[in-house]
Amino acid sequence: MTEKIKIKTEFIKLEALLKYASLVGTGGEAKMLIQDGQVTVNGEVCTMRGKKIRSGDKVSLNENEVIVE
């Protein structure tokens, strides 16, 4: 499932985006999934939960994909 998310700021941190897009329920869950290498940013595994996600970036977790606008 692909979802488009609009942000009003220059960037959003990866763990905040996962919560904002309702892919995870808590920040702790986001932290664990990111550290376990289950999240990709633009097709590459990302283990930095504070990574800055900007407009045009594509974040994937399992079958879910979020495109930031």
Side-chain angles (χ1 to χ4, degrees):
M1 177 179 83
T2 301
E3 182 180 356
K4 292 185 178 178
I5 298 281
K6 289 189 190 293
I7 58 172
K8 295 182 171 106
T9 55
E10 181 186 347
F11 65 86
I12 185 171
K13 290 188 178 177
L14 180 56
E15 70 176 338
L17 176 67
L18 294 178
K19 285 180 11 186
Y20 183 65
S22 300
L23 296 180
V24 297
T26 65
E29 185 181 354
K31 178 182 173 182
M32 286 181 11
L33 291 170
I34 294 166
Q35 287 179 335
D36 286 348
Q38 296 185 43
V39 178
T40 63
V41 177
N42 298 324
E44 295 184 14
V45 172
C46 180
T47 56
M48 298 181 300
R49 68 182 208 253
K51 174 148 180 76
K52 294 176 180 177
I53 306 300
R54 302 175 193 281
S55 181
D57 285 341
K58 190 183 301 183
V59 176
S60 301
L61 171 63
N62 302 324
E63 312 293 308
N64 299 304
E65 184 175 79
V66 174
I67 298 172
V68 178
E69 297 183 328

